[in-house]
């Protein structure tokens, strides 16, 4: 059919064409915590990380080979440094989700949206709006209640690791904004180098005695369910999510992208409860509501929209 006879998309329909893929990314990211929890144990974290990203990096390398060859030495070094930070994020997140619920993991990691503007304010010495500080306090109170879903007990090791992962994500965001060498780098090439650096870190750790079984040993023990979970993490949570972000950021505003991807903790909670059979309890539900309200309020305050 000729494009001349196709009806023009209305602005609202054009928005949905962009919004739906982003919401799908937020959904698969929310589901990633339960998927990682389902295929990973304390002893197989590093092996699973090697397998997950070893599947992704070759595909990205082939897709962006021309851009990789065009990178300067400074850009390679900058992206490699970011990759080291990224490896720390994945280690903290994966070990964290093994020791806590998928629901808690998704909600606690959403604090990155609060930590990042606070850290940026500390670096630039520009005080954030009062409304933002209030939103940050609301989110922190929510996390405290969330981790006490079964009563007032000490937060779990996994909750603490997810909190560190949120802080590490903040460091990664700030580093990307401040390493001048990577500012003009091709997005695909930058991501490929970062993930390649992370895989190298995981491979080195996997070779250290006492860090768990070898990746190929873990892969050999995987059944159909584990392979499905691994491919979901590699193909959908990494490759698909990356390309959708690249596609969408050229068609809508960064604020809209952030708003839609900010629904990730909602999906994490929904998947954890509906599929994983997790329970928050009364305090946990209240905490989840406060985290979501605080991060949404904080994001709007940081953008100057409230």
């Amino acid at each position: 059919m000729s494009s001349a006879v196709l009806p023009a998309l209305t602005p609202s329909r054009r928005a949905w064409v962009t919004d739906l893929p982003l919401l799908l990314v937020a959904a698969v990211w929310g589901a990633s915590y339960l998927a990682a929890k389902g295929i990973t144990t304390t002893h197989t974290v590093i092996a699973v990380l090697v397998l997950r990203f070893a599947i992704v990096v070759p595909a990205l390398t082939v897709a962006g080979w021309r851009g990789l060859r065009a990178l300067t030495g400074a850009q390679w070094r900058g992206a490699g440094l970011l990759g080291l930070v990224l490896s720390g994020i994945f280690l903290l997140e994966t070990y964290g989700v093994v020791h806590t619920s998928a629901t808690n993991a998704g909600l606690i990691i959403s604090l990155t949206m609060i930590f990042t503007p606070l850290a940026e304010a500390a670096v630039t010495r520009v005080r954030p709006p009062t409304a933002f500080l209030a939103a940050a306090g609301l989110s922190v109170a929510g996390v405290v209640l969330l981790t006490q879903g079964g009563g007032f007990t000490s937060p779990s090791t996994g909750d603490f690791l997810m909190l560190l992962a949120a802080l590490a994500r903040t460091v990664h965001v700030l580093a990307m904004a401040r390493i001048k060498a990577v500012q003009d780098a091709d997005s695909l090439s930058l991501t490929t180098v970062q993930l390649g650096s992370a895989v190298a870190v995981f491979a080195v750790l996997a070779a250290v005695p006492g860090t768990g079984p070898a990746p190929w040993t873990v892969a050999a023990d995987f059944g159909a369910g584990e392979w499905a979970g691994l491919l979901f993490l590699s193909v959908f949570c990494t490759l698909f999510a990356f390309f959708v972000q690249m596609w969408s950021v050229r068609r809508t505003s960064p604020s809209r992208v952030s708003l839609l991807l900010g629904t990730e903790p909602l999906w994490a909670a929904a998947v954890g409860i509906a599929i994983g059979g997790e329970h928050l309890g009364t305090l946990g539900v209240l905490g989840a509501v406060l985290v979501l309200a605080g991060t949404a309020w904080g994001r709007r305050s940081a953008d100057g929209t409230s």
Side-chain angles (χ1 to χ4, degrees), residues 107-196:
L107 289 164
I108 293 173
I109 203 69
S110 70
L111 289 177
T112 302
M113 289 184 285
I114 296 294
F115 291 157
T116 301
L118 286 175
E120 187 175 15
V123 171
T124 60
R125 298 184 179 180
V126 176
R127 188 178 185 276
T130 301
F132 179 84
L133 295 176
L138 190 66
S139 296
V140 172
V143 168
V144 172
L145 290 177
L146 175 67
T147 58
Q148 314 304 314
F152 283 97
T153 59
S154 298
S156 71
T157 300
D159 294 332
F160 180 68
L161 290 174
M162 294 306 301
L163 190 62
L164 291 180
L167 291 170
R169 279 195 184 190
T170 298
V171 171
H172 186 258
V173 171
L174 292 182
M176 285 191 68
R178 291 189 164 269
I179 299 178
K180 294 181 179 179
V182 304
Q183 298 303 310
D184 299 323
D186 172 67
S187 297
L188 176 57
S189 302
L190 180 62
T191 300
T192 303
V193 175
Q194 288 187 75
L195 291 180

Side-chain angles (χ1 to χ4, degrees), residues 103-104 107 142-151 273 279-291:
T103 303
N104 274 27
L107 289 164
V143 168
V144 172
L145 290 177
L146 175 67
T147 58
Q148 314 304 314
I273 294 170
H279 302 282
L280 287 177
T282 303
L283 288 177
V285 170
L286 177 59
V289 170
L290 292 182
V291 169

Side-chain angles (χ1 to χ4, degrees), residues 7-8 14 19 50 100 110 120 128 130 193 216 250 253 257 267-268 275 288:
R14 283 198 301 269
D19 291 353
V50 171
T100 190
S110 70
E120 187 175 15
T130 301
V193 175
W216 50 86
R250 291 170 172 80
S253 68
V257 172
W267 296 104
I275 300 177

